[in-house]
Amino acid sequence: QVQLVESGGGTVQAGGSLRLSCVATGDTFDRKLLAMGWYRQSPGKQRELVARISDGGRTNYAASVKGRFTISRDNDKNAMYLQMDSLKPDDTAVYYCNAGGLLYNEGVYWGQGTRVTVSS
C-alpha cells in the first residue's frame, strides 16, 4: 500500500502564492507511484484535475491553472509539489494528491486533502 500525505494548504489573499507538498510512504518502490497528480474539489462541485506529472517529468495541466501553477516532483524523496501563483478566489478548494496512474489517467492512491482558501 501507498500512503500520501499533503501539506502546505492555508489561507491567502488573491494574487498570492502557496506551495503544496505531497509525500508518499509505504510501498513506494517498483514504480508504484508512476504518474502523480493534484486534484481539487470545491463545495458543490465534482473533483477536477489540476495537474499531473509522469515519473519522467512530463506534465499535463488544466486550462484554468496553466501559466499560474507549476507541478514538480522529486523521485528520490517520493515527493510531489504544486507551486500556485497568482491565486484567485476560484482556486479555493480542497486539494488532493493522487498517485499510481498514468499522465492522463488518475491512479488508485489518494491523500486526505489539504484546504486552500483564497480571499478576495
Side-chain angles (χ1 to χ4, degrees), residues 42-96:
S42 305
K45 295 185 178 180
Q46 289 189 333
R47 187 162 54 192
E48 63 177 3
L49 169 71
V50 176
R52 292 190 62 79
I53 184 167
S54 71
D55 55 357
R58 290 185 299 147
T59 58
N60 172 30
Y61 290 94
S64 60
V65 306
K66 193 173 293 186
R68 300 188 298 121
F69 291 9
T70 303
I71 190 171
S72 61
R73 66 189 289 172
D74 185 334
N75 291 335
D76 290 337
K77 296 181 179 179
N78 293 323
M80 176 181 63
Y81 310 99
L82 185 68
Q83 178 65 40
M84 304 186 295
D85 298 319
S86 302
L87 281 161
K88 305 175 182 179
D90 283 349
D91 295 318
T92 295
V94 177
Y95 284 71
Y96 296 91

Side-chain angles (χ1 to χ4, degrees), residues 10-51:
T11 300
V12 64
Q13 288 190 330
S17 299
L18 281 175
R19 186 179 189 238
L20 304 184
S21 298
C22 171
V23 177
T25 60
D27 188 14
T28 59
F29 63 91
D30 197 25
R31 301 187 65 192
K32 284 185 182 294
L33 295 180
L34 298 176
M36 301 179 72
W38 291 98
Y39 291 74
R40 66 186 182 187
Q41 187 167 21
S42 305
K45 295 185 178 180
Q46 289 189 333
R47 187 162 54 192
E48 63 177 3
L49 169 71
V50 176

